[in-house]
Amino acid sequence: MTGSANIGRGMPNRARESSVGAVSGCIFCRIVAGQAPATPVYEDERIYAFLDIRPITRGHTLVIPKTHAADLDELDAELGAELFRVGHRIAKALPRGGLGSDGANLLINNGRSAFQTVHHVHLHVIPRRRGDLLTFARGLLLRRPHEPAATATALRTGLDRLRESDADAPEKETR
């Protein structure tokens, strides 16, 4: 997987370039280009993940392709698979990051009728806890940030721990 070795190793130490196919006025293209602020969680050559500025729960992360795609019709299937692989990895890292999560919702709102408000494909990774229905519902209404710098650090720590546990695990057999 492209960039899989980077998942959990911190952010690349380089200035971000303008996204190929960036759309003027797209906030996510501006974030990728470094022209708008974001709290990063993960970055590789094709994918960028950052904290949602209006999180439902602490650790709510958005995973986006760096190349603009307004919806799933415009998203290359291979890039979509990379997007989900990174989201899957972040969801697996959540319990290891100290945020108290023991589950996650992964979802894409595709199109206006599905409540897509930013028309650049993005995968929501929303941390969950057993019995959090009331907290989740309140978060859905209030959508307030929860210590973004500390939260992003906790998520990156979880990714590092997941990478370390993967390195310690024996190779899986393939048939």
Side-chain angles (χ1 to χ4, degrees):
M1 171 174 91
T2 302
S4 64
N6 291 333
I7 297 177
R9 289 192 178 176
M11 311 311 297
N13 190 11
R14 63 175 178 80
R16 280 179 270 152
E17 301 169 5
S18 293
S19 170
V20 173
V23 172
S24 176
C26 172
I27 187 63
F28 290 172
C29 289
R30 289 179 46 226
I31 287 170
V32 168
Q35 299 168 350
T39 306
V41 171
Y42 169 82
E43 181 175 15
D44 67 22
E45 298 79 26
R46 295 173 35 120
I47 303 293
Y48 188 62
F50 55 96
L51 294 179
D52 191 316
I53 62 167
R54 297 183 57 237
I56 294 172
T57 62
R58 184 174 183 207
H60 182 167
T61 301
L62 301 178
V63 183
I64 66 170
K66 288 184 173 181
T67 303
H68 185 83
D71 56 30
L72 292 177
D73 285 339
E74 293 183 10
L75 183 67
D76 171 74
E78 183 181 312
L79 184 55
E82 285 183 47
L83 184 83
F84 190 81
R85 276 192 287 271
V86 171
H88 173 256
R89 192 80 175 160
I90 291 169
K92 285 178 61 175
L94 288 170
R96 294 162 174 86
L99 296 178
S101 170
D102 60 5
N105 290 115
L106 280 73
L107 66 106
I108 293 177
N109 298 332
N110 186 52
R112 290 187 196 282
S113 60
F115 306 108
Q116 182 181 4
T117 56
V118 176
H119 294 280
H120 182 126
V121 171
H122 53 288
L123 173 68
H124 293 261
V125 179
I126 306 170
R128 299 296 303 269
R129 294 179 186 194
R130 180 178 301 273
D132 73 351
L133 188 56
L134 187 57
T135 304
F136 186 82
R138 185 175 59 234
L140 205 57
L141 296 173
L142 297 177
R143 312 265 327 243
R144 302 249 164 78
H146 308 275
E147 304 174 19
T151 300
T153 298
L155 287 167
R156 289 189 296 268
T157 297
L159 286 167
D160 287 340
R161 288 178 180 156
L162 183 59
R163 181 182 43 79
E164 289 165 5
S165 70
D166 287 349
D168 292 339
E171 290 287 322
K172 289 185 180 177
E173 246 182 71
T174 58
R175 295 177 192 223

